Amino acid sequence: MQPELPHPPSDAEFVGLLTQSQLSLLLYVRSLMPGEADAGDVAQQANAKIWEKRADFALGTNFLAWSFAIARFEVLNYRKRQARDSRLTFSEDLEQTITSELQQIDDDLLSRQEALRKCLDGLKPESRTLLMDRYGTTESLSDFARRIGRSAGGLKVSLHRIRTTLADCIERRLVSGASQ
Amino acid sequence: MTPEEREELIDSLIDGEIDEADFLRIEAEMSVDPEVRALYYNRLKLDLLLQREARGGVDDSESGVAQVVAPAAAISPAAPVNILQRRLTGIFAVLAATVLGFVAWSVWNPDSIRLGSPAGLAGKLEPTAAGFAILHGQSDAVWEGDPLATGSLVPSGPLRLLSGVAQIELFSGVRMVIEGDAQFVVQSAMLVQLDRGRARAQVPEAARGFRVQTRHGDLIDLGTEFAIDAGDEAARVEVLTGEVELQGQGAAPQRVLEGDAWQLSDAGVSERSDSDSLQVIGPDAFERQLSSQQVDQRRRWQQRVASMREDDRLIAWYQTQQTSADGRQLPNLAQSDSQTAGAAAIVACQPSSDRWGQAGGALDLSRTGSRIRVDVPGEFGSLTMMCWVKIHSLDRLYNSLFLTDGHELQEPHWQIMNDGRLFFSVKKFDGAEGKRRRPDKYNFYSPPFWDASLSGQWIMLATTYDVQARRVSHYFNGAEIGSEAIPADYLVPRVTIGPASIGNWSEPMYRTDPQFVVRNLNGSLDEFVLYSSALSGSEIAELYRLGNPAR
């Protein structure tokens, strides 16, 4: 077969690519902005920008790398706007490493989600409720702790334990699922 | 730093609760250690997924936009950039919101080069089922343990049919009628172990060599129909057509011809002295018997329906075998004074067999665009939706059961997610106000109840919306499979329906816009019932018991 020269994708092809990489893109933006509630908004901004620049993308080249570069730029832009806030950010080197590693990372989020559902079923009801309440709100951890009448420190420990239980359970399920 | 400390720091980092000193510590670790970074990525993924789970996963009404995103995104290049951007931001907000549900299948498409497609993944995503046979039919069958549903896969492992008759169809083509009391194991499509009981098998040419294993020896088929009665002392065999071979322990194989009666015992293979026929019903006769029983059951069900039609709580009762003279409308059978729904219109559906096995008694909705249109004026407090459906596969993200046109305030949506969960919601808030922080409705999901082993089987689904008890409950084949309290913020005391579709969804623009999302149910429907009240669990169990053809 004759290799095709890189050409810009049709809109439909482009939307397909973009749709496929949504999770990775979100994961990437969040990895650069840990703990920041605005990560979702920045990811959306990045999406709009990626769409705007769609004519620049050549089919057959690495879409993820291309879209990550745009997303990174949006993260930097956001930081510039929020300069007064002076959030903690990773070093330039670490951000580069994260960028290249997340471009390679296996997209196993679907099987992870399935495993997570089963693992959630196995949690004690009170742990599950606590977790769902926490993740169902956009409040900061301390606001949430205050609202449910617990200390922030104690809550952090509880959440950490539940997450670790879940993470272990997910890994176990993924391993046993893969060997079937 | 201990692994435990690392995890704690990473969680604090992701929670946005880390102080500067700890930030620098974890950053240093991450900079030098790929394992710490891997841990960070995994924790981020968990965080992302937990957030999706907690926020109800995929937003129902907006996914439609995601599914038509390609045409919607192909906006004229002449459109001013700022408008384009605004529209796209909306679209991508939706994409982000629907990413797990909608994107899941396309992202993990095995053809996707980007993923490097681990070999096992495609296999994992392909639906699987296990078994060598299906339970083709049963009559007064009583099983030890859980009852087996007609049409379901025969489980592996020992089975005990205490009484009654059951017919299994092995994937090799062998049809076998088993009479209780019997104990047996389907070892493979070519081997059934019969420890006790009577059976009769019809073996097609393609399954020559089919074997029945008894405690006294084996029967090997050579293209035939035979009966066998496995007892404690001996296994008696009778060849009805063709021939079989008997292999006793330590004895030479013995061919047994049509009309002959032999037995396997500890003494070996011998001709039987008794001339009693084993008298096990054959597969053909049993099927005729089942089908006449189903006709009776169907008639009895219709009589029950006649007496239930006057229930004041009924809004609508549609039976797909009861069509108007031109076959395009389903009359509303509900006769309550308060009922307001009219006849339903059949759009693009094809006739198919109903759950009683009657040809043309049900409607197949699998053709794209198929639907049954209804109009239900008025306001209701609680609701019960119930239907009998046969699903081929859940191959759309949303598989419609009953959806109002669009999804306006106070309107219910009832469908099945592609992962086999029942879904019910009533829209509480207008999407325009504060949609960034608050979902416009609460989605009530059942645990997954459907998998590929149920494909092609008639099942009864029901969901109740109980305003008084503030609860939504889901039922599968008459049994509750999930029940959840309605959060106070999301209680809608008066539900409205209006124009709606059974088995499909119509977006508000369906009258003028040819684009539509594919959401029709890939399967058939033969009954749909709507009550203006939440039926109790026992009422639903009773509806299932009476209306279940596979008894």
Side-chain angles (χ1 to χ4, degrees), chain B residues 34-51:
Chain B
E35 276 188 37
V36 182
R37 292 196 295 277
L39 182 66
Y40 176 57
Y41 303 144
N42 274 352
R43 267 332 226 221
L44 273 174
K45 285 180 189 173
L46 178 63
D47 209 64
L48 194 75
L49 296 175
L50 277 169
Q51 207 170 78

mmCIF file of all heavy atoms in Angstrom, chain B residues 34-51:
data_model
loop_
_atom_site.group_PDB
_atom_site.id
_atom_site.type_symbol
_atom_site.label_atom_id
_atom_site.label_comp_id
_atom_site.label_asym_id
_atom_site.label_seq_id
_atom_site.Cartn_x
_atom_site.Cartn_y
_atom_site.Cartn_z
ATOM 1 N N PRO B 34 10.254 7.125 38.530
ATOM 2 C CA PRO B 34 9.105 6.855 37.655
ATOM 3 C C PRO B 34 7.980 6.138 38.389
ATOM 4 O O PRO B 34 6.807 6.315 38.036
ATOM 5 C CB PRO B 34 9.679 5.935 36.562
ATOM 6 C CG PRO B 34 11.102 5.739 36.860
ATOM 7 C CD PRO B 34 11.490 6.497 38.082
ATOM 8 N N GLU B 35 8.315 5.359 39.419
ATOM 9 C CA GLU B 35 7.257 4.650 40.148
ATOM 10 C C GLU B 35 6.360 5.609 40.902
ATOM 11 O O GLU B 35 5.157 5.378 41.030
ATOM 12 C CB GLU B 35 7.872 3.652 41.109
ATOM 13 C CG GLU B 35 8.198 2.342 40.400
ATOM 14 C CD GLU B 35 8.640 1.275 41.385
ATOM 15 O OE1 GLU B 35 8.083 1.225 42.510
ATOM 16 O OE2 GLU B 35 9.538 0.521 41.014
ATOM 17 N N VAL B 36 6.946 6.655 41.420
ATOM 18 C CA VAL B 36 6.136 7.647 42.134
ATOM 19 C C VAL B 36 5.229 8.372 41.141
ATOM 20 O O VAL B 36 4.065 8.653 41.427
ATOM 21 C CB VAL B 36 7.030 8.642 42.903
ATOM 22 C CG1 VAL B 36 6.183 9.641 43.675
ATOM 23 C CG2 VAL B 36 7.951 7.898 43.838
ATOM 24 N N ARG B 37 5.769 8.622 39.958
ATOM 25 C CA ARG B 37 4.916 9.257 38.935
ATOM 26 C C ARG B 37 3.777 8.320 38.531
ATOM 27 O O ARG B 37 2.635 8.747 38.375
ATOM 28 C CB ARG B 37 5.745 9.640 37.713
ATOM 29 C CG ARG B 37 6.739 10.769 37.958
ATOM 30 C CD ARG B 37 7.237 11.358 36.659
ATOM 31 N NE ARG B 37 8.005 10.421 35.854
ATOM 32 C CZ ARG B 37 9.309 10.166 36.019
ATOM 33 N NH1 ARG B 37 9.997 10.791 36.976
ATOM 34 N NH2 ARG B 37 9.928 9.317 35.239
ATOM 35 N N ALA B 38 4.105 7.021 38.393
ATOM 36 C CA ALA B 38 3.059 6.063 38.026
ATOM 37 C C ALA B 38 1.956 6.052 39.084
ATOM 38 O O ALA B 38 0.762 6.005 38.774
ATOM 39 C CB ALA B 38 3.654 4.673 37.857
ATOM 40 N N LEU B 39 2.399 6.124 40.346
ATOM 41 C CA LEU B 39 1.430 6.174 41.444
ATOM 42 C C LEU B 39 0.559 7.431 41.318
ATOM 43 O O LEU B 39 -0.667 7.387 41.497
ATOM 44 C CB LEU B 39 2.187 6.174 42.775
ATOM 45 C CG LEU B 39 1.343 6.187 44.044
ATOM 46 C CD1 LEU B 39 0.562 4.888 44.161
ATOM 47 C CD2 LEU B 39 2.229 6.365 45.273
ATOM 48 N N TYR B 40 1.203 8.514 41.001
ATOM 49 C CA TYR B 40 0.487 9.789 40.822
ATOM 50 C C TYR B 40 -0.563 9.667 39.712
ATOM 51 O O TYR B 40 -1.716 10.047 39.877
ATOM 52 C CB TYR B 40 1.513 10.877 40.496
ATOM 53 C CG TYR B 40 0.932 12.244 40.179
ATOM 54 C CD1 TYR B 40 0.101 12.900 41.082
ATOM 55 C CD2 TYR B 40 1.248 12.888 38.989
ATOM 56 C CE1 TYR B 40 -0.413 14.156 40.787
ATOM 57 C CE2 TYR B 40 0.747 14.145 38.695
ATOM 58 C CZ TYR B 40 -0.087 14.777 39.598
ATOM 59 O OH TYR B 40 -0.591 16.016 39.312
ATOM 60 N N TYR B 41 -0.173 9.088 38.590
ATOM 61 C CA TYR B 41 -1.130 8.944 37.480
ATOM 62 C C TYR B 41 -2.309 8.065 37.881
ATOM 63 O O TYR B 41 -3.461 8.370 37.570
ATOM 64 C CB TYR B 41 -0.452 8.338 36.239
ATOM 65 C CG TYR B 41 0.750 9.107 35.729
ATOM 66 C CD1 TYR B 41 1.853 8.450 35.199
ATOM 67 C CD2 TYR B 41 0.785 10.494 35.788
ATOM 68 C CE1 TYR B 41 2.971 9.137 34.743
ATOM 69 C CE2 TYR B 41 1.892 11.205 35.344
ATOM 70 C CZ TYR B 41 2.984 10.515 34.829
ATOM 71 O OH TYR B 41 4.077 11.209 34.389
ATOM 72 N N ASN B 42 -2.001 6.970 38.586
ATOM 73 C CA ASN B 42 -3.084 6.077 38.991
ATOM 74 C C ASN B 42 -4.041 6.739 39.960
ATOM 75 O O ASN B 42 -5.250 6.554 39.887
ATOM 76 C CB ASN B 42 -2.522 4.798 39.620
ATOM 77 C CG ASN B 42 -2.199 3.764 38.559
ATOM 78 O OD1 ASN B 42 -2.537 3.956 37.384
ATOM 79 N ND2 ASN B 42 -1.556 2.691 38.954
ATOM 80 N N ARG B 43 -3.467 7.534 40.874
ATOM 81 C CA ARG B 43 -4.317 8.235 41.839
ATOM 82 C C ARG B 43 -5.177 9.274 41.112
ATOM 83 O O ARG B 43 -6.326 9.494 41.458
ATOM 84 C CB ARG B 43 -3.464 8.948 42.879
ATOM 85 C CG ARG B 43 -3.127 8.237 44.188
ATOM 86 C CD ARG B 43 -4.033 7.227 44.716
ATOM 87 N NE ARG B 43 -4.288 7.377 46.130
ATOM 88 C CZ ARG B 43 -4.361 6.350 46.981
ATOM 89 N NH1 ARG B 43 -4.230 5.105 46.565
ATOM 90 N NH2 ARG B 43 -4.606 6.563 48.256
ATOM 91 N N LEU B 44 -4.586 9.924 40.100
ATOM 92 C CA LEU B 44 -5.346 10.906 39.314
ATOM 93 C C LEU B 44 -6.505 10.231 38.579
ATOM 94 O O LEU B 44 -7.612 10.753 38.520
ATOM 95 C CB LEU B 44 -4.440 11.561 38.270
ATOM 96 C CG LEU B 44 -3.636 12.780 38.668
ATOM 97 C CD1 LEU B 44 -2.696 13.164 37.532
ATOM 98 C CD2 LEU B 44 -4.526 13.973 38.998
ATOM 99 N N LYS B 45 -6.200 9.060 38.025
ATOM 100 C CA LYS B 45 -7.251 8.338 37.307
ATOM 101 C C LYS B 45 -8.392 7.986 38.260
ATOM 102 O O LYS B 45 -9.568 8.156 37.928
ATOM 103 C CB LYS B 45 -6.697 7.040 36.702
ATOM 104 C CG LYS B 45 -5.831 7.237 35.478
ATOM 105 C CD LYS B 45 -5.368 5.870 34.987
ATOM 106 C CE LYS B 45 -4.319 5.995 33.901
ATOM 107 N NZ LYS B 45 -3.752 4.682 33.558
ATOM 108 N N LEU B 46 -8.020 7.484 39.435
ATOM 109 C CA LEU B 46 -9.031 7.120 40.425
ATOM 110 C C LEU B 46 -9.897 8.328 40.759
ATOM 111 O O LEU B 46 -11.127 8.246 40.840
ATOM 112 C CB LEU B 46 -8.351 6.573 41.684
ATOM 113 C CG LEU B 46 -9.275 6.175 42.846
ATOM 114 C CD1 LEU B 46 -10.200 5.041 42.433
ATOM 115 C CD2 LEU B 46 -8.472 5.757 44.070
ATOM 116 N N ASP B 47 -9.233 9.469 40.933
ATOM 117 C CA ASP B 47 -9.916 10.706 41.263
ATOM 118 C C ASP B 47 -10.923 11.091 40.171
ATOM 119 O O ASP B 47 -12.082 11.417 40.433
ATOM 120 C CB ASP B 47 -8.843 11.787 41.391
ATOM 121 C CG ASP B 47 -9.252 12.862 42.354
ATOM 122 O OD1 ASP B 47 -9.414 12.561 43.550
ATOM 123 O OD2 ASP B 47 -9.423 14.006 41.911
ATOM 124 N N LEU B 48 -10.446 11.001 38.941
ATOM 125 C CA LEU B 48 -11.267 11.340 37.775
ATOM 126 C C LEU B 48 -12.498 10.432 37.718
ATOM 127 O O LEU B 48 -13.627 10.888 37.524
ATOM 128 C CB LEU B 48 -10.398 11.127 36.536
ATOM 129 C CG LEU B 48 -10.833 11.681 35.204
ATOM 130 C CD1 LEU B 48 -10.604 13.177 35.211
ATOM 131 C CD2 LEU B 48 -9.995 11.062 34.081
ATOM 132 N N LEU B 49 -12.262 9.143 37.917
ATOM 133 C CA LEU B 49 -13.357 8.175 37.805
ATOM 134 C C LEU B 49 -14.340 8.302 38.959
ATOM 135 O O LEU B 49 -15.548 8.178 38.781
ATOM 136 C CB LEU B 49 -12.797 6.746 37.742
ATOM 137 C CG LEU B 49 -11.939 6.452 36.512
ATOM 138 C CD1 LEU B 49 -11.344 5.066 36.592
ATOM 139 C CD2 LEU B 49 -12.754 6.604 35.235
ATOM 140 N N LEU B 50 -13.802 8.571 40.146
ATOM 141 C CA LEU B 50 -14.690 8.733 41.300
ATOM 142 C C LEU B 50 -15.588 9.944 41.099
ATOM 143 O O LEU B 50 -16.775 9.931 41.423
ATOM 144 C CB LEU B 50 -13.872 8.894 42.586
ATOM 145 C CG LEU B 50 -13.404 7.578 43.212
ATOM 146 C CD1 LEU B 50 -12.393 7.859 44.316
ATOM 147 C CD2 LEU B 50 -14.569 6.780 43.764
ATOM 148 N N GLN B 51 -15.007 10.990 40.546
ATOM 149 C CA GLN B 51 -15.808 12.191 40.312
ATOM 150 C C GLN B 51 -16.946 11.888 39.324
ATOM 151 O O GLN B 51 -18.062 12.315 39.512
ATOM 152 C CB GLN B 51 -14.907 13.279 39.761
ATOM 153 C CG GLN B 51 -15.419 14.657 40.089
ATOM 154 C CD GLN B 51 -14.381 15.702 39.747
ATOM 155 O OE1 GLN B 51 -14.221 16.048 38.590
ATOM 156 N NE2 GLN B 51 -13.669 16.181 40.750
#
